[in-house]
Amino acid sequence: MPLTPSRESALSVRRTTADDPLARPLLDELAHEYTTRYGSAHDLSRYPAEEFAPPHGAFLLLLEQGRPVAGGAYRRYDDRTAELKRIWTHSAHRRRGLARRVLTVLEREAATRGYSRIYLTTGPRQPEARGLYLASGYRPLFDVSADPESIGPLPFEKFLENSQP
């Protein structure tokens, strides 16, 4: 369901850090989801919180009436590329376009910081994420006709406006 003006007006973006206590419920649910789908949530501890902090990174929460409903982050991948991580919508708030909104904000912020390309990977057992990235203009860097389980992490890229591949 698309966001209605009244719902959208209740949403706000909070630029924060990965260790903000307000992010904990979303990250806990994401850890549970990773453990359920993959048997481990090790990816959540792979990078220190500082990698998602300015000037090279960002961590944001989408809040509804002060409560986190979605979030995401990026970190520096290389001089011109930001890597998206931790894109997540709370299970009680899915199917409202919130992840797409998080993507849009992260893309804008990365472009403002001088990045011209976004890179990301998603797991082969996350068809919802794969669909979101394809629908949001991300180019798959893998054979989309192959069994995702045979590929492993599914890489995508997107060039930001006014940039060249």
Side-chain angles (χ1 to χ4, degrees):
M1 159 177 31
L3 293 176
T4 62
S6 61
R7 279 195 132 158
E8 183 150 349
S9 64
L11 294 171
S12 62
V13 175
R14 178 176 173 149
R15 287 150 186 87
T16 187
T17 60
D19 50 10
D20 182 335
L22 197 56
R24 183 55 31 215
L26 282 179
L27 294 175
D28 286 348
E29 190 180 48
L30 180 55
H32 175 73
E33 189 76 19
Y34 282 175
T35 301
T36 301
R37 291 188 191 205
Y38 301 105
S40 168
H42 77 279
D43 187 61
L44 291 176
S45 59
R46 187 173 176 186
Y47 304 104
E50 304 83 57
E51 290 205 27
F52 302 107
H56 301 296
F59 188 93
L60 67 86
L61 296 172
L62 194 58
L63 304 178
E64 185 171 58
Q65 299 175 354
R67 292 195 167 112
V69 294
Y74 71 80
R75 61 186 281 279
R76 181 177 184 224
Y77 187 75
D78 64 33
D79 286 344
R80 65 185 189 100
T81 307
E83 179 181 18
L84 295 185
K85 302 296 282 181
R86 318 278 186 272
I87 308 295
W88 187 249
T89 300
H90 187 282
S91 59
H93 298 278
R94 294 193 179 138
R95 311 288 307 157
R96 294 176 45 201
L98 301 177
R100 189 176 296 240
R101 180 155 178 185
V102 168
L103 273 179
T104 299
V105 173
L106 289 171
E107 289 170 1
R108 276 193 216 131
E109 292 202 8
T112 299
R113 297 249 181 223
Y115 293 110
S116 60
R117 177 179 173 255
I118 300 284
Y119 173 80
L120 65 89
T121 59
T122 192
R125 297 179 189 164
Q126 294 171 260
E128 337 54 12
R130 176 184 166 160
L132 169 68
Y133 300 131
L134 289 170
S136 299
Y138 284 79
R139 184 171 72 93
L141 301 174
F142 60 93
D143 180 354
V144 294
S145 66
D147 173 11
E149 290 286 332
S150 71
I151 299 169
L154 307 176
F156 290 85
E157 73 176 354
K158 182 177 185 179
F159 288 89
L160 301 174
E161 286 191 34
N162 302 322
S163 64
Q164 298 295 321

